[in-house]
Amino acid sequence: MADRPLRADARRNRERVLEAARELFAASGIAVPLDEIAARAGVGPGTVYRHFPTKEALFEAVTTARLHDLVEFARARAAADDPAAAFDEFLDRLTEEAAAKRDLPEAFTAVGMDGLAPAREELFAVLTVLVRRAQEVGAVRAEIRASDLLALLKGMLQAAGESPDPTVLDRIAVVLRDGLRPPAPQRINLSTDTPGGRAP
Amino acid sequence: MADRPLRADARRNRERVLEAARELFAASGIAVPLDEIAARAGVGPGTVYRHFPTKEALFEAVTTARLHDLVEFARARAAADDPAAAFDEFLDRLTEEAAAKRDLPEAFTAVGMDGLAPAREELFAVLTVLVRRAQEVGAVRAEIRASDLLALLKGMLQAAGESPDPTVLDRIAVVLRDGLRPPAPQRINLSTDTPGGRAP
DNA sequence: GAACATACGGAACGCTCGCCCCGGTTAGCA
DNA sequence: TGCTAACCGGGGCGAGCGTTCCGTATGTTC
């Protein structure tokens, strides 16, 4: 019961399992069989279960770390001087992440994974700030909420993850970025007289 | 072997199965157990298999019809006088569809369902025309391809389908719509001198 | 180097779910 | 109304996967 230091091989195997889980979860999502993770780590299924009580726990262990990194990144941006740039940087980060991280969108809305709830709430909270500040300087349309952003990002990550063409992600990201901006080009001083306007 | 008319009860049960499959696939996607569909239809699992050789075949039967409707709708719009409005109408249609149709995004990119391939190719072809014509009048940004649009729509449908809040869909749809438009308000005749242009 | 605790591997269990089969029933027709 | 063929229901089989258990191997300590 006391937290005696793990035996050397146990420690090594635990790391191998985590490494294999990171790779396979990122590649195929939580659907990957646990036996495959064990095989990739060079251990038996039993060994995985001695370190993690359940498959979900392993997924949580891998994903919580990833979410936490994302939260840290967002938190730093939430206090930045330029909220518009901060918001853009967050989108950039997520776009990079989406390259081959199929587990991230699953982590956003995994049901029944109570272990992930704190990290998700943290992310939600910091996203709320990030969005609000970007809205205050007119960089993001006013009606958007953090939940909308999360849904949008999740959809983007999933859609991009399934597409064989990696350049799809770039164009999707551009669409999201521009779509999130307020409709009229109201940035700074400019006096266009675009007819047929839809905004007042 | 000859296509003798089905017995009355067989015909009725087949319709019931299709109806139940439509509802349950739309609500929960292809993950719904076949026994549930059978139970909802008031028949045994064996009856389902007498009408459809496999679960995938049942899914294809339900989804092909849905995709075909969508293709018909898009085909009519692809020849419309106002390509910009036609494109918008297609987005509207898909937004409505997303209300509670969890099977549609799965139909877009279901792997190994060869029965759906023709419908998917039809959809892709007509979307290509729809996008190109909208681009010709400056209603859609030039770099977008039909595959990008499909990925975006799939993401939107999935994100909206999983969210408990139905109003999320509205805001997501607006973001997509505006994001798909060309960045600068370059509608028709106007002589802007936008520096740092990305198009010739 | 020996003894002990700890960890390992993989066979085995139970559960879910797609799919098949057989005894009973019902529809259609003479 | 009665016969026959088609159809129905649900129990059952097998595969895949998460999880557990136990005999064996290995690191650690004296």
Side-chain angles (χ1 to χ4, degrees), chain B residues 144-162:
Chain B
I144 295 295
R145 305 182 218 269
S147 54
D148 305 335
L149 184 61
L150 222 41
L152 278 170
L153 294 176
K154 179 175 153 73
M156 176 182 85
L157 293 186
Q158 279 182 328
E162 291 171 14

Side-chain angles (χ1 to χ4, degrees), chain A residues 1-89:
Chain A
M1 294 304 166
D3 46 352
R4 159 143 71 213
L6 263 60
R7 235 171 66 177
D9 55 345
R11 178 160 207 64
R12 196 180 54 227
N13 277 334
R14 187 191 156 88
E15 277 315 308
R16 281 188 187 168
V17 167
L18 274 174
E19 175 68 17
R22 263 191 292 268
E23 295 172 9
L24 291 182
F25 279 146
S28 311
I30 201 177
V32 66
L34 190 135
D35 290 23
E36 242 172 73
I37 298 177
R40 159 89 84 142
V43 303
T47 300
V48 177
Y49 279 94
R50 196 157 309 96
H51 291 293
F52 303 94
T54 179
K55 183 190 177 185
E56 282 192 357
L58 175 59
F59 185 79
E60 286 176 10
V62 166
T63 316
T64 297
R66 216 193 287 294
L67 276 188
H68 195 70
D69 289 350
L70 205 59
V71 167
E72 280 310 308
F73 185 90
R75 210 193 298 281
R77 297 305 180 284
D81 286 341
D82 184 348
F87 189 82
D88 261 22
E89 285 167 19

